Amino acid sequence: MIEQAVFWILGAIMVAGALGVILMPNTINSVMSLLLSMLSLAGFYILMGAHVVALFQIIVYVGAVLVLFLYVIMLLNLKEKGLKLPMEASTWAIGGMSLGLVFVVAWLFWQSLRETVFTGDAGTTDAPATIHQLAIDLFSQHLLIFELTSVLLLVAVIGAIIISKK
Amino acid sequence: MIVEILLQIIKIIAIFAVVMGCVAYLTLMERKCLGFFQIRLGPNRVGPWGLLQPVADGIKLFFKEDMTVLHANKFYFILAPVISLVAVLFCFAVVPFAGNVYIIDIPVAVLYLMAISSMGVYGVLLAGWSSNNKYSAMGGYRATAQMISYEIPLALAIVGVLILSRSMSIVDIVNAQKGMWNIVKQPLGFIIYLVCTFAETNRCPFDLYECENELVAGYQTEYSSMKFALFYMGEYAHIFLASCLITLFYLGGWNGPVLPALLWFFMKVFFCAFCFIWVRATYPRFRYDQLMNLSWKVMLPLAFLNLIVTAIIVVMF
């Protein structure tokens, strides 16, 4: 009962935040809306019993990525009137296509999840809850993906250093 | 159910009261100690030995005129000091004062601490931006760059402790130090953690985001009355939190012979707090490029070295 209430409240906050990101005329407000979205996403992870994922969500996105977004936007000092989208045919076409894509994805999710999720428990318990289970999982079952991701990150770091040296 | 919730609320209020009391008297302690280091008396007019000085300061700040500058973004201007205090106070939810004196002991407490304390940056950054003042903005930018840079070696230094105690629960970390404190097993990690903590809490020699001879008062230039007091409380609460964490991670927490656990804990915490004040009274401030070089070229490689050596030794032996 309480879980359902929390779910709907978090959902409402998340959707409002997501809408805020694209509708706010002030870019700082957009970033802060994104922050709200990210925090409620962390709340969803906690509802699913994945506390570690929720905390990493906050550490990585809220603690680092969004701070840098905010930092860069404040340094750019954007003026509100300069940010209006040009109302051309291509803008409308891209907007319409994106909206259509969102609806298609939502419809696909709805179709595929309708049978499984709404019957019985939401399957909250089998997510790896403790850091020990998560580590064992990560370094046995998903070792290849983990190593590939770390190589990707290393390449990105070296790339960033080379670009900033120029 | 209701009794449990009530008990939990009472615990929260009690710990909150202890934390805020310590924060208030840390300000007095700082002024008294600075007086001692500078061969003068320090505050001694209000109450016996100046003991009522924090109360007087609080009343004074309440009755100051609460100003909001005209060009400020009102919403973020008010939100910023709230974030910087709340982000610190939230951390005390998982900080144990003794083996059974804590609000909650979660198995991912260290991650929780890192997550919540990383939100404190927003307070400083938003305060600097919303004041619409070049000194405030400079202070905010410096603060963000500094906090993000020093968070990385800080986290890596903690990982060494986590490997040794094989747990992320702070109670387990302290219990693992029963025989020998982590400062003996992790001397390099301790030094890295200490230096990074000084940078994170915005203390001298790293207090670059409010250095008064360049930036007036940095991000808090435009703040007055209780909004300024919130920043001030947040800063001292952060010092108290940092002292607690140094004690818990490296100085054996509440472990110690003869005396009761709580007394040991608070003795160690106030010794750490004294070190913060001692350093402030002794060292000059860094230059900004020196600060960044120290973080990325010295602290980060050392933290990695510490982590690798710790991991190898734990796996081998």
Side-chain angles (χ1 to χ4, degrees):
Chain A
M1 187 58 214
I2 294 173
E3 273 180 22
Q4 279 221 331
V6 173
F7 174 83
W8 286 110
I9 293 168
L10 281 178
I13 293 173
M14 193 167 169
V15 171
L19 283 175
V21 176
I22 49 172
L23 292 181
M24 289 281 187
N26 187 338
T27 29
I28 301 290
N29 287 339
S30 293
V31 177
M32 293 311 278
S33 310
L34 193 56
L35 175 81
L36 210 60
S37 262
M38 291 294 180
L39 285 178
S40 37
L41 187 57
F44 277 129
Y45 287 138
I46 289 175
L47 270 187
M48 286 187 273
H51 298 97
V52 179
V53 182
L55 289 171
F56 273 118
Q57 161 84 12
I58 296 180
I59 291 173
V60 173
Y61 285 98
V62 177
V65 174
L66 280 181
V67 173
L68 292 177
F69 278 16
L70 206 59
Y71 191 78
V72 170
I73 286 171
M74 284 176 183
L75 275 180
L76 289 177
N77 196 18
L78 297 166
K79 295 282 175 289
E80 283 181 21
K81 59 178 184 293
L83 289 171
K84 281 275 189 298
L85 269 177
M87 285 300 161
E88 294 161 2
S90 59
T91 315
W92 288 106
I94 293 169
M97 273 155 66
S98 329
L99 209 61
L101 194 67
V102 167
F103 276 116
V104 169
V105 170
W107 182 77
L108 281 176
F109 268 116
W110 178 258
Q111 287 300 323
S112 58
L113 294 178
R114 200 164 52 167
E115 290 92 27
T116 48
V117 171
F118 293 141
T119 53
D121 282 335
T124 54
T125 44
D126 48 344
T130 67
I131 198 104
H132 183 77
Q133 282 166 306
L134 195 78
I136 299 267
D137 232 35
L138 208 60
F139 284 97
S140 57
Q141 226 177 333
H142 308 291
L143 184 63
L144 182 68
I145 300 169
F146 181 79
E147 291 298 331
L148 284 178
T149 315
S150 57
V151 169
L152 186 69
L153 283 175
L154 187 65
V155 171
V157 168
I158 293 170
I161 290 171
I162 288 173
I163 289 172
S164 62
K165 277 257 177 184
K166 274 183 184 172
Chain B
M1 181 72 183
I2 292 172
V3 177
E4 266 176 40
I5 293 175
L6 272 179
L7 267 178
Q8 203 66 20
I9 290 174
I10 291 170
K11 257 196 214 168
I12 292 172
I13 292 172
I15 297 243
F16 177 73
V18 169
V19 169
M20 289 322 263
C22 287
V23 166
Y25 277 90
L26 263 183
T27 61
L28 180 68
M29 181 177 156
E30 167 141 42
R31 293 172 68 181
K32 278 279 184 194
C33 290
L34 279 180
F36 167 73
F37 285 120
Q38 295 163 356
I39 321 179
R40 55 187 173 84
L41 285 174
N44 63 353
R45 295 289 116 175
V46 193
W49 307 290
L51 276 179
L52 294 177
Q53 187 68 41
V55 183
D57 283 345
I59 294 171
K60 185 194 81 173
L61 280 164
F62 252 114
F63 287 104
K64 287 261 178 180
E65 188 187 356
D66 188 15
M67 287 200 292
T68 306
V69 279
L70 205 59
H71 293 289
N73 185 323
K74 275 234 177 79
F75 179 66
Y76 295 126
F77 193 74
I78 296 168
L79 187 68
V82 177
I83 292 179
S84 38
L85 180 61
V86 167
V88 180
L89 287 182
F90 263 34
C91 291
F92 282 101
V94 294
V95 173
F97 289 172
N100 47 8
V101 187
Y102 50 77
I103 294 174
I104 193 166
D105 175 40
I106 51 174
V108 286
V110 176
L111 272 185
Y112 172 86
L113 277 175
M114 288 199 265
I116 301 297
S117 60
S118 68
M119 310 246 305
V121 187
Y122 285 97
V124 181
L125 191 54
L126 285 175
W129 177 78
S130 66
S131 301
N132 214 342
N133 164 334
K134 61 183 168 192
Y135 298 119
S136 301
M138 285 289 293
Y141 296 144
R142 280 187 180 186
T144 320
Q146 178 179 334
M147 280 177 140
I148 292 212
S149 309
Y150 278 88
E151 236 165 49
I152 303 162
L154 186 83
L156 286 174
I158 300 177
V159 176
V161 174
L162 297 183
I163 292 175
L164 283 180
S165 45
R166 291 160 191 275
S167 171
M168 277 204 174
S169 144
I170 297 183
V171 175
D172 289 350
I173 290 176
V174 173
N175 286 336
Q177 301 179 54
K178 276 235 167 76
M180 189 192 282
W181 294 357
N182 273 342
I183 186 173
V184 183
K185 294 182 200 162
Q186 288 268 306
L188 183 61
F190 173 70
I191 291 168
I192 295 167
Y193 189 85
L194 194 69
V195 172
C196 294
T197 309
F198 273 94
E200 286 281 305
T201 48
N202 178 25
R203 291 293 295 185
C204 219
F206 301 110
D207 56 347
L208 275 153
Y209 33 114
E210 51 166 82
C211 58
E212 64 280 355
N213 42 12
E214 298 171 28
L215 294 179
V216 189
Y219 62 93
Q220 34 181 263
T221 306
E222 302 286 6
Y223 283 88
S224 59
S225 184
M226 272 323 274
K227 291 209 275 292
F228 171 74
L230 282 180
F231 272 126
Y232 216 68
M233 284 195 275
E235 201 179 313
Y236 279 90
H238 208 153
I239 294 169
F240 185 61
L241 176 72
S243 307
C244 288
L245 293 183
I246 292 171
T247 307
L248 292 168
F249 288 150
Y250 290 99
L251 300 181
W254 52 83
N255 293 324
V258 189
L259 296 171
L262 261 178
L263 193 62
W264 267 114
F265 180 76
F266 276 101
M267 271 165 55
K268 289 173 189 173
V269 166
F270 275 96
F271 174 72
C272 293
F274 174 73
C275 288
F276 274 87
I277 298 162
W278 193 6
V279 169
R280 176 182 169 181
T282 315
Y283 283 99
R285 188 178 291 133
F286 272 79
R287 219 171 53 221
Y288 195 67
D289 55 323
Q290 290 173 331
L291 174 96
M292 282 296 160
N293 280 345
L294 181 70
S295 167
W296 292 101
K297 293 184 182 166
V298 181
M299 285 298 154
L300 192 60
L302 279 182
F304 269 118
L305 182 75
N306 179 55
L307 177 59
I308 292 169
V309 170
T310 311
I312 289 174
I313 288 176
V314 166
V315 171
M316 289 294 189
F317 304 104

